[in-house]
Amino acid sequence: MTAATSWLQSWTPAEPVPAGERTKLPALIAAAEQHAAPASPEAFAIAMKPLVEWVQRFGIVPLEPTEQQGGQPGVRRAQVAEIVRGYRDALSDIPGDILADAVKATVDRHAYRNLPTPGDIRARAEAEMRERSDRLRRLRTAKMRADMDAKARAAEPSDAPRERTPAELAAAAAAKEAALQALSEGPVKAMPAERDDLRQVRDDSTAAARRRVAEGLAGFRKIERPNTPWSAMQQPPAASHARRMEG
């Protein structure tokens, strides 16, 4: 159980639950609930057996002789059941395996000729109980965070980028590493500053020259030639009038 939930030690509710752990949460929560459940009456009786044997062996509590020893039938058994019942009322919330370990540790280390109190046994069970309760609480918190993130992803547009899987992340990292390795193995071939295959070649033929001149003159407006001789246009107006009078 501890190995399966080791990621919880560094996880916080502010972070998404690791993708590989989301589907495991229901089973982990069920197992944690079972481990934190109180002992059943049968498990409680089994856990208390070392204490009962210790009481009988060392005579901590005066008990009626057994039937083999001439005691009244059932009296000793009723006395033992009453002792166990007193512990049961105070320790009923402790899981069976934790209680068994706590009872054994208490009996092994009890230095007085009296019954250990329920508080003595509980003190040896509290640390493990607290750890299991905390693990269960964190698993339930992680399940709430995973469910919340799942609803948020479902509400996103279909074209929204999805979270990459661990396999996809590993493949991307490998491709990046391969590219870096290829770059480090040799110099990168530089592109030339000018490429001959992209340079335009000038056509210096006569036809091309005429075409360029025609394109250059295409923007000029053609001036119409007047019918009056140029020499007549250069004479002053008075001379032109006198000539018309003479005629």
Side-chain angles (χ1 to χ4, degrees):
M1 182 69 181
T2 303
T5 58
S6 59
W7 57 274
L8 279 175
Q9 297 177 1
S10 59
W11 178 82
T12 65
E15 307 169 355
V17 178
E21 305 296 336
R22 295 171 190 162
T23 57
K24 302 177 184 178
L25 286 174
L28 290 174
I29 291 174
E33 290 174 343
Q34 182 178 359
H35 288 170
S40 65
E42 295 78 9
F44 191 91
I46 293 174
M48 296 300 295
K49 185 177 180 179
L51 178 62
V52 173
E53 292 175 348
W54 177 75
V55 168
Q56 294 177 356
R57 183 180 304 114
F58 295 100
I60 304 302
V61 176
L63 298 174
E64 179 75 13
T66 63
E67 296 179 12
Q68 291 79 6
Q69 297 172 345
Q72 297 181 13
V75 175
R76 185 184 182 97
R77 183 177 303 174
Q79 290 176 323
V80 171
E82 187 64 25
I83 294 173
V84 173
R85 187 179 301 111
Y87 284 98
R88 173 73 177 172
D89 293 341
L91 304 175
S92 60
D93 61 317
I94 302 178
D97 59 330
I98 297 179
L99 180 63
D101 293 340
V103 168
K104 186 176 185 306
T106 300
V107 170
D108 291 344
R109 294 168 175 79
H110 195 66
Y112 305 99
R113 290 185 61 84
N114 59 1
L115 282 174
T117 66
D120 294 332
I121 298 175
R122 180 176 292 278
R124 300 186 182 279
E126 284 182 342
E128 181 65 22
M129 289 179 63
R130 189 181 307 111
E131 181 178 344
R132 294 190 185 184
S133 177
D134 182 68
R135 184 184 302 119
L136 177 58
R137 177 182 58 82
R138 290 175 63 81
L139 282 170
R140 287 171 174 170
T141 302
K143 181 66 166 56
M144 292 175 59
R145 175 59 197 261
D147 292 343
M148 180 182 67
D149 291 344
K151 291 181 180 179
R153 287 192 298 271
E156 292 177 353
S158 58
D159 57 347
R162 64 176 179 83
E163 183 178 355
R164 291 190 291 179
T165 64
E168 292 172 339
L169 292 174
K176 179 181 178 181
E177 184 65 24
L180 293 175
Q181 182 67 24
L183 291 175
S184 63
E185 290 179 352
V188 179
K189 183 178 180 182
M191 292 291 293
E194 295 185 4
R195 293 178 52 178
D196 295 338
D197 58 336
L198 298 179
R199 184 181 302 170
Q200 294 184 354
V201 180
R202 179 183 174 89
D203 187 358
D204 292 330
S205 64
T206 302
R210 291 177 178 174
R211 185 169 58 254
R212 286 195 292 272
V213 171
E215 292 174 353
L217 296 177
F220 291 96
R221 182 171 60 87
K222 182 177 180 181
I223 301 176
E224 300 293 337
R225 179 179 297 177
N227 296 327
T228 306
W230 179 256
S231 57
M233 294 178 63
Q234 298 299 319
Q235 294 180 3
S240 300
H241 181 68
R243 187 177 300 107
R244 286 195 297 269
M245 291 296 291
E246 293 176 357

